[in-house]
Every structure is written in structure tokens, then in C-alpha cells.
Amino acid sequence: MAGALQAATAALLSSTPLKTYGSDRLRLGSAPRSLAGRKGSFLVVRSDAGFGSGSNARTRPGKLIPNAVATKPDASASSTSSKPGHELLLFEALREGLDEEMARDPRVCVMGEDVGHYGGSYKVTKGLADKYGDLRVLDTPIAENSFTGMGIGAAMTGLRPVVEGMNMGFLLLAFNQISNNCGMLHYTSGGQFTIPIVIRGPGGVGRQLGAEHSQRLESYFQSIPGLQMVACSTPYNAKGLMKAAIRSENPVVLFEHVLLYNLKERIPDEEYICCLEEAEMVRPGEHVTILTYSRMRYHVMQAAKTLVNKGYDPEVIDIRSLKPFDLYTIGNSIKKTHRVLIVEECMRTGGIGASLQSAIIKEFWDYLDAPIKCLSSQDVPTPYAGTLEDCTVVQPAEIVKAVEDLCK
Amino acid sequence: MAMAASRLPSPSTLSSSLSRLLRTSRLFSSLSSDDQTVLNVETSVPFTGHKCDPPPRTVDTTPKELLGFFRDLSVMRRMEIAADSLYKAKLIRGFCHLYDGQEAVAVGMEAAITRRDAIITAYRDHCIYLGRGGDLVSVFAELMGRRDGCSKGKGGSMHLYKKDAQFYGGHGIVGAQIPLGCGIAFAQKYSKEGTVTFALYGDGAANQGQLFEALNMAALWDLPVILVCENNHYGMGTAEWKASKSPAYYKRGDFVPGLKVDGMDALAVKQACRFAKEHALKNGPIILEMDTYRYHGHSMSDPGSTYRTRDEISGVRQERDPIERIRKLILSHELATAPELKDFEKQVRKEVDAAIAKAKESPMPDPSELFTNVYVKGYGVEAFGADRKDLKGVLP
């Protein structure tokens, strides 16, 4: 089933076959961990885009697009009716995951601002209030601290709330509840209470949204003990991670990105769940390991096209799990390539990249042939002006240069 | 990882050792024939209502209940004083917030509700835990950081919890438990349980923004939550008139009805809580302001005399002490004699000392316990792809 899907995907995107990850790549059963062998999730960037693999590189010069987000899918090659699965946008994938879990378990409920009748500010919860009622999809007043606390209190009794922050930055108001109550109650009660809550919302640098609405909260939450953090980047993993987060007994913070909600992808009709602690192998390679997550994945893939044209073979891993890191997948990659580049949207100081860098140095120092490079956003509030905003985040040109420097 | 071999005795009301005490005590064995008598007692002061009709001043009670109050109050008082000595002996470290003087709130509340109703409070939680059915050994063990503590020694004084009795703790950050309490009430409403939540906070926390946020939501959705302000008139060292523009905390809810109660009178507390439970199940949230007083300072590091006079403290002890009130009621209704009550208190003291000795025997937690209960059962949701045969893995 998976093989047929991937073959169809390959035909859709390019004339050269993609590397496929079938079941032969997975070690099941006795191995302590499985490979992150997902089917290659493809991105749709522009109608002239596509990405080659290995030596069968496309000869068309890759045009670097500083703001790599989804636009119209490749219209010429797609014929939707004959393919298995169904096509949808990332926010619809999130909604599908949420809908399936709410139908499956009556204890799952949603609370947040404008999630009910308005349908969610990014339409993630559209239609759910009509389907499940006002109590299960609860419109809250603008009181992040207390409705997050309410969600945690409800989770203590056994409900499974999904709390939405309209923008992750607003959850700073709820930091006390998230840190002290959400993260720590399981420990301070000696295991009596579990907090199966999901806290989700869009974050990251958008399109000139201004400093306060462009925050990256993963760097602030990462030291809270007891919390798990994941970041989704494609419709496939968005739905899978949403379902996994809801089913997990631990509190999970699911980071979405404002600019990725309109990504389109074909996902399977059957039910599936992604593992919360696993990283995703986006593009296997030999020369350098590029670790990234969320929106920067697309900048990296954009840079990867140029790199491939220049003869490099980068291995791109979407780390997905921000806390804890999937050091197994990352380590295997480093043992193969011996060079690491981290590309993230967090700020240089105290971000996910900083922690990842230190974890890699601690675990895999002997395997490194060059110092780790970490490309992060600048330590500045995100400016409003478009040109300045582009300078704040990592652009594909910088990624290309960094790989070239690493591989000298 | 080795689990603690000892199992705590399953608590009846307070502790099994205490129930043994009751069975052998002359005080209680004479009661078996008198269970049906109903006594009508008037509360010390009438209730004051805000946007509601206050309940009547006359409370029904029975001899058994009064003697039970005396027992519970004495054990709580004794426990807190013993905790004071343990702290000074450096067996209890960190923060220790004592509840003596305020015991009537815990006891009266328990008399009005069931164990299926939920209680959540802040850090002055030792006596509420006891009232919910916790036993003395687990409290002292937790205070001393031992393995047999109710939170396995990992919580401490401010983190006592009892899930099976719907006691949700035990919270260190002022005011943060109020939204949690509304969340518990939300879950009770969601599951249509017909139970209520009592969310306790202090006069200091009454100025927290999250209280008003939570009040708004509770009133909006008719959540069955009762917000109880234990007004002991001092937020650590700051008197209420220095912190609050309006110290009428029962009125602060504005659109939410409120009731002011004499918190040193266990029967008044019982009446108010019963009234509040009925109200919350029908009409949504209500605020109860318990006018109470703490004899100790805010915590063991606060002498409690720099911001109030010793005369004030001893004055309250003479006029309004909850145990003395119940003692006077018992004596005036001739349910027991004064020497009998004194003997009983001596036995309570012995029981508390025995519990402390037992708790001291409990070992410190094993070092491996540092890493347990951070996450639930390690990590990992089982993951599977669309085709459940492959793409499936479980991380350890």
C-alpha cells in the first residue's frame, strides 16, 4: 500500500524516481527503536519546482525564493481522482485529526478563543462546534492564564482538553500554569495526577505581523520538566502528531506555524498516527546532516536544490520532536555524514538550536569532522518592515553558504 | 526500582489509629443510643449575603457530629503544633504554612459535602488533606520528605494531594489553583456528575487577576464551583486594608453572589457550605468569605508578630477559638464533662506523637525516584502508519 502511494507520488512530482522508504527500511520488533521511515513527504512550492535526488539532479537552475511557502500545486501533473488518499491543506489535516479523536473519545474537548462559532482564527476548528456542541468546543473569553489553568484542572480529573492559543505568543500569559501546573503536577503529586492536555497554536515569524505576534515559544518552554514539545510541518505529520498528542498521557505542546497552514498534500484515507518522539527523514544524503523543523524545513529544501546542483548531497532531517530530541535518528545521521548544520527559526540565544548543539556535542563529539554550524534568527524583536523581517530569519542563500563552508 | 514495602493504613475518617481511639474512648462509646437527637444551635453571627438570601442562622446538628467536630479539630490543632516543633527541630525544611486557628473551615466544609465533591486549595493544606481522609503518618512523612509521604516525599508541605478523595492539592503559586478549580468544576459539569468543587484561596490571592478571569468564565458557563476566600486578614505581612481597596471579598464577585461567614464557627461553615453546594448546582458559582484567623505567622519563617500585636492574637484565641466554641457547646449540652474532653485531648496528643514516630521510621526516597513520575510511564504513544502492518514503532 505504501509502495503504491509512493510510486504515485513520484510520478506526480518529477520524472526521476524519488527514494522510497518501504517497510524494508524499517527495523521492527526486537530493535529498541524504529527508523523514522516515513514516506517522503513532498512539498509543493511553485509550478516550476520539484526536487531531484542524488545524481539525477534537475539541470534547471534553482531560483532561490526567500519566502518559501505553499502556493498552487503543480496543476499539470496532478489528477486527483485516480490517486489513493485525499488532498487537503495543513489546517484541514489538523482539523481531521482533531475530529477523529473527538469522535473516538468523548473526553476530548477543545477550548480557546473563537474556536467555536467563529471556527478558529486559522479555521482549524471550523465546523467542530456544530458537530460536537458548545461545551466540547468551548469559546473562552480572552483570559489565557485562566483558561489554560481550567484546561489543566479539567485534565487532572480525566478529561483530555486541547487548548488553543490564538497565537503562541499569547500563551506567555499562561506561562505559570504551563510550567508549574501542567509540567510539574504529575511529579509533585507523586504520580497521582496525569495531565493529558494538548496545548497548540501557531507561532513563528509570519508575514510582517510585528514583534509581539512573531514569537518562537519553543525556546521558552523547552526547559519545563514534564512537558513534551512537537512541531508539525506537513499535513501528514500535522494530523499524525495531533492524534498522537491527544492520545498521549503526558502534556504535549504542539507548535504550528502561521505560514504553513495552507500547505497542500495528499494524505492517506486510513487512520495513522505519528510518533511523538521521532524525527522525520526528509531527504537522505551523504555529505552533511541538516537538522531543522517547522517552516525552516522549506527554506532548507529550497537550499537543497541549489546544493544538489552544486554537487552536494545534504541529508535533511525534520527533527519534529523538540523535547525530547530524537537523538537516535540524529545520531545515526551524524555517524554517516560527520557534519552538522542546524537551521532553526528560534533566536540564537537559548533556542532549540542551542540545546540541540550542546546535546550533539555531548553525545556525538567523536563523530564530528567539523564544528557544528547553527543558523538561527537574529536576537532582535522581529521588525515590521518586510526587508528587515527577511533579514531576521534564515534564508536559503545563507544555508547554501553554510553548507559550502562546512564541506570545505 | 524497589517500591516501599509498607502500605499506609486505609483511612476511615482520620486515621485507623484514631478510629481505634474512638472505639475505646468512653467519650464516644456512650453515644450509640443518642444518635437521633437533633440539636439546634445558633451561629455566632448572622450570615451576610451579596445578591443572595443568606441561609438561616440556626443550624441543625447532632451530638455525634459535635463530638466528631471536637475530635477533628483537636487532631488538626495538635498536628499543626507538632509540625511547628518538627520544623524547629529541622526535620521539616523549606516552607511550612500552618493552619491552626483556621481549622473550623476544613471541618465545617467536610461536614456539608461528600468525598465525591472536589476541594482544591493553596499551600496551607495540611488540615484540608486530613479532613479529606488523609492520615497523619502520610502527612508527617511527606513533610519530612520521606518515602511514605502522600506524594512520595517529592512534593513537600505545599503539595499534598489525595486523588481518591477528590483532593486536588496543594499549590504553591498564589491564585494559580483558582483556574484549576474552575477546570475541575468544568469537568464535573461535562460529565454531569452532580458534584461541586470548592476552590479555596486567601485574602492575598483575592487580588489576583486570574481569580476574576476564572469567575467570569465560571459565571458565563454556570460551572458548579464555590470560591471560598479564607480571609485571615493578612497576606503574609500585609494587612488586608493595605492590600485591598475593598476588603469585602464576598462582594468582589460583583455579578456572582456571595456570602460572608464566621470562619471560626464550624457550624456556620457547615451551614454556608451546604447552602453554597445547593446554589452552585442550580445557579452556578458563589463566593464564600470565611472570616478566620491564623495564630502562627504566614509560614514558619515569619514570627507573625511584626505586623500584628500579641494582644490581637491572644484576643482572638480567647474570644473566637474554634475548639473552645465546640467545647462550650458540648459542655452546655452535657454531652461530655470537661475532664473527659481533657483526657481525650491527651489521647489525641499521644496518637499524633505515635504518628510522628512512625513517619520518622520511613526512609528517604530512593535516588532512582528522582526520575520517576516526570512523564507518565516513560514516553511514547504507539505510532502507526496508514497501513498498520508497517511504519509502526514504539519508542521505549
Side-chain angles (χ1 to χ4, degrees), chain A residues 143 145-147 150, chain B residues 175 177-183 208-221 223 225 227 255-256 285:
Chain A
N145 193 4
S146 40
F147 72 69
M150 253 187 67
Chain B
Q177 76 278 9
I178 303 170
L180 291 185
C182 291
Q208 273 270 320
Q210 45 192 330
L211 164 62
F212 297 96
E213 293 178 14
L215 257 180
N216 176 46
M217 291 195 285
L220 199 56
W221 303 318
L223 300 183
V225 63
L227 291 132
F255 42 82
V256 172

Side-chain angles (χ1 to χ4, degrees), chain A residues 60-74:
Chain A
R60 191 182 310 169
K63 203 168 102 181
L64 284 183
I65 306 154
N67 303 309
V69 287
T71 55
K72 287 260 180 286
D74 195 336

Side-chain angles (χ1 to χ4, degrees), chain B residues 202-252:
Chain B
D203 49 296
N207 294 318
Q208 273 270 320
Q210 45 192 330
L211 164 62
F212 297 96
E213 293 178 14
L215 257 180
N216 176 46
M217 291 195 285
L220 199 56
W221 303 318
D222 287 324
L223 300 183
V225 63
I226 295 137
L227 291 132
V228 181
C229 178
E230 294 181 286
N231 183 6
N232 55 27
H233 307 285
Y234 295 93
M236 201 162 92
T238 308
E240 62 175 344
W241 55 270
K242 272 193 180 175
S244 306
K245 180 75 177 171
S246 157
Y249 299 108
Y250 70 108
K251 286 190 188 164
R252 289 276 204 98

Side-chain angles (χ1 to χ4, degrees), chain A residues 37 106 146 227 250 271 273, chain B residues 190 213 375-376 384 388 391-392:
Chain A
S146 40
L227 217 56
N250 294 308
E271 204 192 8
I273 297 185
Chain B
Y190 190 98
E213 293 178 14
Y375 293 97
V376 177
F384 51 93
R388 284 167 192 251
L391 299 180
K392 178 172 164 358

Side-chain angles (χ1 to χ4, degrees), chain A residues 110-140:
Chain A
V110 180
M111 26 182 110
E113 293 158 17
D114 281 328
V115 293
H117 287 277
Y118 190 82
S121 50
Y122 293 94
K123 292 180 283 195
V124 173
T125 50
K126 191 164 183 198
L128 292 182
D130 296 326
K131 193 168 169 190
Y132 296 107
D134 282 339
L135 196 64
R136 280 187 85 182
V137 186
L138 193 64
D139 277 324
T140 63

Side-chain angles (χ1 to χ4, degrees), chain B residues 49-336:
Chain B
H50 166 72
K51 299 212 170 138
C52 70
D53 289 323
R57 206 175 150 182
T58 324
V59 187
D60 291 337
T61 182
T62 66
K64 189 166 168 205
E65 183 171 70
L66 280 179
L67 287 168
F69 278 5
F70 187 80
R71 170 198 65 214
D72 294 346
L73 292 168
S74 307
V75 175
M76 290 178 181
R77 176 68 57 90
R78 195 62 233 147
M79 173 182 74
E80 296 295 70
I81 295 180
D84 179 313
S85 320
L86 285 176
Y87 192 91
K88 290 183 175 137
K90 291 207 198 280
L91 283 162
I92 301 178
R93 313 304 295 273
F95 292 124
C96 189
H97 305 89
L98 297 177
Y99 201 69
D100 54 326
Q102 296 182 215
E103 303 91 344
V105 176
V107 165
M109 192 180 290
E110 282 301 325
I113 61 177
T114 71
R115 285 285 161 75
R116 287 177 52 237
D117 295 308
I119 298 184
I120 188 169
T121 182
Y123 42 77
R124 213 175 289 277
D125 55 348
H126 306 167
C127 298
I128 312 257
Y129 174 80
L130 220 54
R132 284 264 95 179
D135 67 308
L136 287 166
V137 178
S138 62
V139 175
F140 285 120
E142 184 61 37
L143 289 176
M144 294 194 275
R146 306 298 173 97
R147 199 181 293 185
D148 289 325
C150 53
S151 301
K152 299 186 191 158
K154 298 201 280 192
S157 160
M158 297 187 284
H159 298 287
L160 304 179
Y161 303 90
K162 198 166 199 315
K163 184 172 183 181
D164 52 6
Q166 301 285 303
F167 177 50
Y168 289 89
H171 295 272
I173 305 293
V174 169
Q177 76 278 9
I178 303 170
L180 291 185
C182 291
I184 300 165
F186 174 80
Q188 287 173 330
K189 182 171 176 145
Y190 190 98
S191 320
K192 301 192 177 68
E193 287 172 15
T195 49
V196 296
T197 304
F198 283 80
L200 279 64
Y201 61 97
D203 49 296
N207 294 318
Q208 273 270 320
Q210 45 192 330
L211 164 62
F212 297 96
E213 293 178 14
L215 257 180
N216 176 46
M217 291 195 285
L220 199 56
W221 303 318
D222 287 324
L223 300 183
V225 63
I226 295 137
L227 291 132
V228 181
C229 178
E230 294 181 286
N231 183 6
N232 55 27
H233 307 285
Y234 295 93
M236 201 162 92
T238 308
E240 62 175 344
W241 55 270
K242 272 193 180 175
S244 306
K245 180 75 177 171
S246 157
Y249 299 108
Y250 70 108
K251 286 190 188 164
R252 289 276 204 98
D254 186 20
F255 42 82
V256 172
L259 195 65
K260 188 166 165 139
V261 186
D262 179 2
M264 306 295 261
D265 181 353
L267 290 167
V269 173
K270 171 186 156 190
Q271 180 89 318
C273 291
R274 192 191 288 157
F275 170 78
K277 178 171 174 176
E278 276 170 35
H279 183 280
L281 285 173
K282 272 202 313 259
N283 305 333
I286 181 170
I287 299 182
L288 296 179
E289 182 186 337
M290 303 286 178
D291 188 349
T292 181
Y293 199 83
R294 55 167 163 82
Y295 298 142
H296 270 88
H298 164 75
S299 71
M300 287 305 300
S301 9
D302 170 29
S305 48
T306 53
Y307 46 87
R308 49 187 194 173
T309 61
R310 292 197 198 279
D311 287 338
E312 180 187 300
I313 305 172
S314 50
V316 174
R317 215 186 262 274
Q318 267 171 346
E319 311 272 313
R320 299 175 65 202
D321 185 73
I323 302 182
E324 292 312 307
R325 175 187 301 283
I326 301 293
R327 193 197 302 268
K328 283 197 198 102
L329 273 173
I330 291 177
L331 294 175
S332 67
H333 288 278
E334 290 170 0
L335 305 174

